[in-house]
Amino acid sequence: MHLQLQYFLLLGAALFCIGIYGLITSRNAVRVLMSIELLLNAVNINLMAFSNFLDPVTIKGQVFTVFVVTVAAAEAAVGLAIVLTIYRNRDTVDMEEFNLLKW
Amino acid sequence: MNQLFLQTVWLIPCYPLIGAVLSALWFPGITRLTGPRPAGYVNAILTLIAFLHGILALSATWNQPPLQILIPWLKVAGLELTIPLEISSVTIGVTVLVTGLNLIAQIFAIGYMEMDWGWARFYSMLGIFEAGMCGLALCNSLFFSYMILEVLTLGTYLLIGLWFNQSLVITGARDAFLTKRVGDLILLMGVVALLPLAGTWNFTELATWAKTATIDPTVATLLSLALIAGPMGKCAQFPLHLWLDEAMEGPMPGTILRNTVVVSTGAWVLIKLQPIIALSPVGVAAIIFVGAVTAVGASLIAIAQIDTKRSLSYSVSAYMGLVFIAVGTEQTETALTLLFTYAFAMSLLVMSVGNIIWNNITQDLTQLGGLWSRRPISGMAFVVGAVALVAVPPFGCFWSMLKMCEHLWNDGNWLLLVVLVVNGLTAFSLTREFSLIFGGKSRTAMTARSPELHWPFILPMVILMGFTLHVPLMLIQWQLLPAWANINIVVAGLLIASTAIGFGSGVFVYLNDNFAKPVRLGSQAIQDFFAYDLYTAQLYRVSIVFVVDVVSKTIFWIDRFLVDGLVNFVGLAAVFSGQSLKYNVSGQTQFYALTILVGVAGLILLLTLPILSRLSLIVSG
């Protein structure tokens, strides 16, 4: 079996879907952040795949990936800080408890 | 000099109008301290001026051809509305009659309206009436006559409603306005329909047109029926007669005018419209039918009343019915003469009765009695009014009725019988009233002490009595009386016989102590039927009033629930959707994420639908 671009893309898409599923269904706020990491990683896979197959000379995709990883780290840090702040106030990380801003 | 008065004859309706406006100065809310009496004096003086102007103009126009004065009013595309005034001895004579009767009624009112604060309003209304009637007499255009009739309808409403703290006054004024209004509105249909046919509203030109007009019989019928409807309401003819009965709730001096001249305004227009109505045999039949039924019916009702004023008011309807018959049988001149002679007699009767009512308080005929010895002047006035109203030679109405009956006799018309019957019944009714008021002995404390009244009551009544007695002389002067040789002895005999039977049986029943009082007919039902005015009020209530009521309630319901409901439903739907859709804002971040996802997925699906469908085609081969 020869590795093709489509397989990577499908893997990325699958990972993205799993991330989305986790993002929407998780009740734990930390797991939501984890799902976001999954999404970003799915994106990274796409970027790496495109960079490999379509742009093997200048590999701009890999540069993008480096940026995404960096930003994802920063975002996770901020995200965890937010979760911690909420936890301090409300003593819970249950997403279903955070529904104060409704109608 | 007299020529000047003739040229300025259009001022006659203006004097009372000025009086009507000036009266407003003495409304209790404006002149707070010194009372409203000057309103009456000012109006009486202005009426006197109008009367004198009329007399002088009359002497100038005597034996002169009619004069036309045109006053431009409105000119719009295709329609030129000019007020034509006809200055002839007849029209000025009518203004003299109107202003004269008004003067007398206004002097009477100075006495009658003592102890009343409403002089300003009352005299103002009388002024409007007088102006309206003089204007109607002079005006030679159907359109402007209609306008004046409407003003008079409004005036009637306000005048009857003078003492508006009484509930019966309110209902009476309401009925008077609505009933007359209905007639006027149908008249308006006729007026509007006439213009495209004749091209003019000028009475003289209309008469010329009618001579040679060839119009569709159906159109002619509808037209003449519409033109009859207005005067029918104005003259209190069946079935639009209930208002006159209820109008007796108004003040007495107003009643004098209404019973004599105001009801005649309708007849005046009818007389002028006679050539057009004559275009349709159905119209002529209708006018005769209405007149005959009213004349007989109302004179029967008059006999069954116990209210003095109402008893007279039904005689008014009956005599207007006679005028209708006269117009229907093409005797317009006789109709005018009858109106003239009738106006004097009836106003004298009403004034005499007003004198009695003023200090005996009651209007109930069963409560009055035995006043002849103590109220000789009022009694005399009633007698003169009565003999002048029914056919007793040589008094006024005899000649007009004789003329009418001779005409009917020559035509071999059954209406002769109607006139004779009405004459007899009215004679009986007046005798009954006279006997119950003046005859016999005092029945109750109401008449135990009843002095004759002071000068403002007696003076106008006596002057009017003098005029009434002079009516035959006036007729001679104007050559309206037939020569002795031309009198049909049989007809005259029949008329006198019917009067004699009426008077005689009245005297026999009511001045005869052996005849049990109150008089009972064999059947109580018949007695009640006439006493309650053929149950007209109930008839209105179950027919027209009921239908209009049901229809308006239905329309109200439809408007309230269907029309309003539809609009309100739109609002409610918006409110409901807002209220329920807000729950989409769940406050759950994850739900928002899901919404975004669904949205994006949906959008992608939509955009890729063409590609996908092609794909499925490829897959399925």
Side-chain angles (χ1 to χ4, degrees), chain B residues 322-345:
Chain B
L322 292 186
V323 174
F324 267 57
I325 293 176
V327 173
T329 48
E330 298 185 357
Q331 311 174 65
T332 49
E333 200 184 314
T334 314
L336 276 178
T337 323
L338 184 60
L339 280 181
F340 176 74
T341 53
Y342 149 88
F344 281 105

Side-chain angles (χ1 to χ4, degrees), chain A residues 3-79:
Chain A
L3 284 175
Q4 286 177 344
L5 176 60
Q6 286 94 318
Y7 300 150
F8 292 95
L9 294 186
L10 283 174
L11 173 67
L15 199 57
F16 193 86
C17 288
I18 292 165
I20 289 284
Y21 178 76
L23 176 75
I24 289 167
T25 54
S26 307
R27 293 187 62 174
N28 192 318
V30 179
R31 254 170 81 170
V32 172
L33 290 178
M34 288 162 71
S35 305
I36 291 172
E37 291 304 318
L38 278 189
L39 296 182
L40 292 165
N41 283 334
V43 171
N44 285 343
I45 289 174
N46 271 13
L47 288 171
M48 290 301 285
F50 278 124
S51 157
N52 239 19
F53 284 91
L54 302 179
D55 186 26
V57 183
T58 51
I59 51 172
K60 289 183 210 115
Q62 294 190 20
V63 180
F64 279 143
T65 311
V66 171
F67 272 94
V68 170
V69 170
T70 330
V71 172
E75 175 256 301
V78 174

